[in-house]
Amino acid sequence: MSKVKYYYDPDTLSYRKIEPRKAKKYRNIAFFFLGSMLFGLLGLVFLMNTNLINTPKELSLQREVKNYELQFEILNRKMSQIEQVLANIEERDNNLYRMYFEANPIPEEQRRAGFGGINRYQQLEGFNNSEMIIASTKRMEIIQKQMVIQSKSLDEITKLAEEKEKLLAAIPAIQPISNEDLTRMASGYGWRTDPFTKARKMHWGMDFTSPKGTPIYATGDGKVLRADNNSSGYGKHIRIDHGYGYMTLYAHLSQYNVRKGQKVERGDLIGFVGNTGRSEAPHLHYEVWKDQQRINPINFYYGSLSPEEFENMLKYATQENQSLD
């Protein structure tokens, strides 16, 4: 029941009942409904921005988004660890492996180069977390590129290592006659007296005096080029192509233990000491060739002689005496 309001009438000296106007009544009702609607809308907006009226599906999606953000954070931490490991491998690759094998280091700008051209990440734009997703994707792609470059580099290092191993095995690095079988080192590389003409001439190899039939060994891995007596002065001799510009020659043999075209390894028995060809006494005449030039074999015995033995051999090799061929 609505309240009845009165006012005092001084003319009649009495209280008179206030009769409300209909227009004012309707206006109050309109203000009431308008205010109710306004507060209702404000309340709805507030509720929509809170979790108070979210549906289970919306709550599930929000949890999923939070989970994705957490996964991206974990992913970025893992990428940081990968970058540290990669940086360590790259440093060793440039400053150790490639330097050892005399290969040029990979430039930093090549390792760190990004991806140019068109917008590669257009499909990732327009989302709430687009910036984070694009940054992580770029970072991952750069890491992938670095890994590809490093993988190719390690493949190259592997090939260089294999080639280095072949080179080290091919270089003539041992004495062709073992010290146990060696009578003496008769003559070295250099100007010597010819045993037949007594004239001073260049002696292009080293003469090892040893009894006839003494074993002769290949001084490095290679392939037999010749095993014949069709070269003036050398008699029965063997030539081995070691690759990388190296070739060795073994002359005045009594017999062969290899044939032309045969592959040999360092230390293989290839023949026996003799006195064939232009030779004054049983011995082995040994030569080392590099890029078709004869060089001093004294520098290639590091694989079989001790420092004391090398010093002793060097002493006899440098004496300007008479050669045996």
Side-chain angles (χ1 to χ4, degrees):
M1 183 176 180
S2 60
K3 291 182 179 180
V4 178
K5 293 183 180 181
Y6 296 88
Y7 72 95
Y8 181 75
D9 188 352
D11 294 331
T12 61
L13 302 175
S14 62
Y15 288 96
R16 298 179 65 88
K17 184 178 180 181
I18 298 174
E19 298 293 340
R21 298 178 184 178
K22 287 186 178 181
K24 187 177 180 182
K25 183 178 181 181
Y26 291 141
R27 185 181 63 193
N28 291 339
I29 292 173
F31 278 136
F32 173 77
F33 281 110
L34 186 61
S36 298
M37 289 176 64
L38 182 61
F39 280 108
L41 286 172
L42 290 173
L44 184 60
V45 170
F46 172 76
L47 291 173
M48 288 179 67
N49 285 279
T50 64
N51 294 329
L52 297 177
I53 61 170
N54 283 349
T55 65
K57 185 176 182 180
E58 289 172 330
L59 292 172
S60 176
L61 289 174
Q62 288 176 0
R63 283 194 297 270
E64 196 171 334
V65 169
K66 290 290 183 184
N67 183 54
Y68 282 137
E69 289 175 351
L70 177 61
Q71 293 301 322
F72 267 99
E73 186 180 341
I74 294 172
L75 176 64
N76 276 285
R77 284 204 296 266
K78 288 183 177 179
M79 285 193 288
S80 295
Q81 294 172 349
I82 293 171
E83 286 169 342
Q84 289 177 357
V85 173
L86 262 176
N88 182 265
I89 295 173
E90 288 168 357
E91 183 182 1
R92 283 184 289 161
D93 183 37
N94 276 348
N95 301 323
L96 181 62
Y97 308 143
R98 303 185 75 82
M99 185 177 294
Y100 177 78
F101 294 110
E102 300 175 356
N104 292 326
I106 298 174
E108 191 69 13
E109 55 271 19
Q110 183 179 339
R111 290 185 183 274
R112 300 285 179 269
F115 300 88
I118 61 173
N119 185 0
R120 298 167 54 87
Y121 312 104
Q122 190 172 2
Q123 73 278 9
L124 300 177
E125 295 175 350
F127 301 99
N128 290 337
N129 296 314
S130 289
E131 201 171 306
M132 177 184 69
I133 296 171
I134 291 173
S136 297
T137 304
K138 282 182 179 178
R139 194 176 178 188
M140 178 62 77
E141 288 185 348
I142 291 174
I143 289 174
Q144 288 174 333
K145 184 177 180 181
Q146 287 177 250
M147 291 179 70
V148 169
I149 293 173
Q150 187 58 54
S151 177
K152 289 181 179 178
S153 176
L154 292 176
D155 288 341
E156 183 184 351
I157 293 297
T158 301
K159 290 180 182 177
L160 289 171
E162 291 172 354
E163 197 64 24
K164 192 85 170 183
E165 188 176 354
K166 290 178 184 176
L167 169 62
L168 293 175
I171 293 175
I174 64 171
Q175 198 170 274
I177 293 179
S178 67
N179 278 334
E180 292 78 11
D181 300 325
L182 185 64
T183 303
R184 66 188 178 93
M185 214 292 295
S187 182
Y189 176 95
W191 291 96
R192 301 291 183 268
T193 303
D194 186 281
F196 300 99
T197 66
K198 305 305 178 181
R200 191 167 177 266
K201 61 179 271 190
M202 185 65 183
H203 187 244
W204 295 105
M206 295 184 72
D207 291 341
F208 295 91
T209 303
S210 195
K212 183 179 178 180
T214 298
I216 299 170
Y217 304 99
T219 56
D221 294 2
K223 184 178 180 181
V224 177
L225 281 179
R226 293 178 62 174
D228 57 52
N229 61 352
N230 298 326
S231 188
S232 176
Y234 288 130
K236 289 183 178 180
H237 74 290
I238 294 170
R239 302 187 193 207
I240 297 176
D241 180 11
H242 301 277
Y244 309 97
Y246 289 99
M247 193 269 289
T248 50
L249 182 148
Y250 313 77
H252 311 304
L253 278 60
S254 59
Q255 63 184 73
Y256 312 110
N257 196 53
V258 292
R259 62 185 182 280
K260 180 181 178 180
Q262 181 177 335
K263 290 184 178 180
V264 294
E265 294 182 356
R266 181 183 292 148
D268 284 353
L269 176 63
I270 59 172
F272 301 91
V273 170
N275 191 30
T276 58
R278 192 174 185 272
S279 171
E280 188 179 54
H283 75 286
L284 169 69
H285 174 81
Y286 175 66
E287 294 181 7
V288 176
W289 294 59
K290 178 70 169 74
D291 299 327
Q292 300 182 348
Q293 299 292 324
R294 286 176 282 196
I295 57 179
N296 194 343
I298 194 71
N299 300 313
F300 292 87
Y301 299 136
Y302 56 84
S304 60
L305 298 180
S306 67
E308 293 78 15
E309 290 171 332
F310 181 81
E311 286 293 330
N312 189 47
M313 175 174 282
L314 184 62
K315 178 176 130 179
Y316 285 106
T318 52
Q319 292 178 354
E320 192 169 333
N321 56 7
Q322 178 178 289
S323 65
L324 294 176
D325 46 33

